[in-house]
């Protein structure tokens, strides 16, 4: 579960970086920045739901990820 959480964090940061890149490159002329920020929000919500589900089903113990 720790590896999955770390992968999601890496993907979230990559999506945020690409949104910044598109914001600078396109100068507000396209909607690629909005799409990448939407991807970031979806990834963040998915990570949150996975962590909550992992805790509920006992995959993540009460002491947290170690």
């Amino acid at each position: 579960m720790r590896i999955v959480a770390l992968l999601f964090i890496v993907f979230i940061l990559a999506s945020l970086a690409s949104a910044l890149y598109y914001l600078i490159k396109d100068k507000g002329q396209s909607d690629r920045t909005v799409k990448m920020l939407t991807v970031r929000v979806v990834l963040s919500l998915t990570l949150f739901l996975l962590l909550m589900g992992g805790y509920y089903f006992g995959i993540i113990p009460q002491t947290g990820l170690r």
Side-chain angles (χ1 to χ4, degrees):
M1 191 67 173
R2 182 183 328 165
I3 294 170
V4 172
L6 289 174
L7 283 174
F8 265 90
I9 291 172
V10 167
F11 289 142
I12 289 167
L13 291 175
S15 174
L16 191 61
S18 64
L20 178 64
Y21 172 76
Y22 289 137
L23 179 67
I24 293 170
K25 182 181 177 196
D26 294 343
K27 296 183 175 95
Q29 300 300 319
S30 73
D31 59 346
R32 291 194 291 184
T33 303
V34 175
K35 287 181 184 178
M36 292 312 296
L37 290 174
T38 303
V39 168
R40 185 192 63 86
V41 169
V42 169
L43 286 172
S44 297
L45 287 174
T46 304
L47 176 61
F48 177 74
L49 292 174
L50 280 173
L51 290 174
M52 294 301 291
Y55 181 76
Y56 179 76
F57 290 114
I59 298 170
I60 302 173
Q62 284 186 333
T63 57
L65 295 174
R66 290 183 187 231

